[in-house]
Each structure stands twice: as structure tokens, then as C-alpha cells.
Amino acid sequence: MRKLLALATVAIATASALVWSAALVPRQSPELAIAVPGGSTTELSSLRGKVVVLEFLFVKSQHCLRVATMLNELHGEAALQGFQPVGVVFDPPNDTNSHGELVPAMVDYFKLTYPVGYASKDVVDAYLGRSSNETLNIPQLVVIDRAGTIRAVSGGRRADLTLEDAAALRRLIASLLKEGG
């Protein structure tokens, strides 16, 4: 009985440590597969060597679309230096209708020049290290350096809300681009 209790305690402590460590930055980015229109998949690891900003967004959120437009502008300014935004659309909680089919229309309407794909809410939650009882703030931005290390996040316990400010994000991207990889 003592061994069983000790094992349960270790399992709970390990699980708690994993959830807590997932919120810490900097940390190595886990892999993420993003379904892009046309049926292919983009692996996040294929972008290593670039400074990446992931935006996890809802298609029907004006706030998310404003940030997508800002990322499009920053992409135009810094793409040649190695900056790559990536949009990841996912469905809102308690919404059974997939909004993934709206991705091509959104990209066309807003004239986005960077990849935008789709992932399920479960995949997004796993990537972000979100537990089911955490509040979901959208959009969620994740800034990844050239070496694949998450350097800043706009949601969760270690949220940096300045990431939604164009000037602040521009400065962070510029500093990461100078670091090399």
C-alpha cells in the first residue's frame, strides 16, 4: 500500500511539474503539425533557422484578425531577414462546427502573405501546455527563436501582453533576428 501511495505521489508530482514547466519560457518548442489548405501539412520544425511567431486564432474574432493583419505587416518588413509568422486557426470551445474550411477565404480577404493553417483545439491545447481549466485567451502568440526555443508567449501563466503591440513585437523580432541561430 505504501509503495502504491508513493508511486501515485510521484506520478502526480511529475504531471504537475510537466504542466508547470510547459508554461515557462524560455523552453524548447515542441513539434506542431499544421494542416494547410490543399491537404498538406507543415511541421513547425521545418521552419528552424527562422524567427517564428505562431498566432493561434479564431477566424470569427476581430481581435485575432487585427493581430493577423499586424503580423502580415511585420512579415512584409522582415521576411527577407528570416522572420516567419504562421497562423494556426482552431475551433472555439463548445463549437462543433469546424472553421478550418474558412482559412482560404480569410487569407484571401485579408491578403495574408504568410502560411495559415488549421489544427484541432486538442492539438493547440497540447502545444500550449494548457489544462482544461485554464482560461483561453485569444489570440495566443508564441515567439520562437532561430534555434527553436520559445522566447515569449502572450497567454498562460507567463503572458507577455505587449506581444500584441506592433512596436514591441517589432523590437523583439529584430533582437531575435540579430542573435542568429
Side-chain angles (χ1 to χ4, degrees):
M1 184 66 164
R2 281 186 177 173
K3 285 184 182 181
L4 185 59
L5 184 58
L7 285 174
T9 302
V10 169
I12 291 170
T14 301
S16 297
L18 287 174
V19 169
W20 178 250
S21 68
L24 299 176
V25 288
R27 69 177 184 282
Q28 192 63 30
S29 174
E31 184 59 87
L32 177 65
I34 305 157
V36 293
S40 63
T41 302
T42 297
E43 301 287 331
L44 183 57
S45 59
S46 71
L47 301 174
R48 186 162 290 210
K50 296 181 181 261
V51 172
V52 176
V53 173
L54 293 174
E55 178 190 13
F56 295 95
L57 68 143
F58 295 162
V59 170
K60 295 184 176 184
S61 164
Q62 292 301 311
H63 184 66
C64 290
L65 297 174
R66 181 191 61 75
V67 172
T69 302
M70 174 189 71
L71 288 174
N72 203 49
E73 180 181 319
L74 295 174
H75 183 240
E77 295 172 9
L80 295 177
Q81 290 82 34
F83 171 58
Q84 182 63 66
V86 177
V88 183
V89 172
F90 68 106
D91 294 330
N94 306 318
D95 189 342
T96 57
N97 298 321
S98 175
H99 296 201
E101 71 274 357
L102 299 177
V103 170
M106 179 191 79
V107 169
D108 287 343
Y109 183 81
F110 288 98
K111 297 177 179 32
L112 300 179
T113 59
Y114 60 88
V116 180
Y118 179 82
S120 72
K121 181 182 176 308
D122 292 340
V123 167
V124 171
D125 284 347
Y127 179 84
L128 293 173
R130 270 183 29 77
S131 66
S132 59
N133 64 349
E134 284 183 78
T135 302
L136 177 64
N137 297 316
I138 57 160
Q140 292 256 340
L141 298 179
V142 177
V143 180
I144 305 167
D145 68 17
R146 293 181 189 266
T149 302
I150 296 174
R151 300 290 288 272
V153 294
S154 68
R157 293 182 223 40
R158 303 278 189 206
D160 180 354
L161 298 179
T162 66
L163 295 179
E164 293 181 23
D165 174 71
L169 186 56
R170 184 178 285 113
R171 284 189 299 275
L172 176 58
I173 292 167
S175 71
L176 294 174
L177 288 170
K178 288 177 186 173
E179 286 182 4

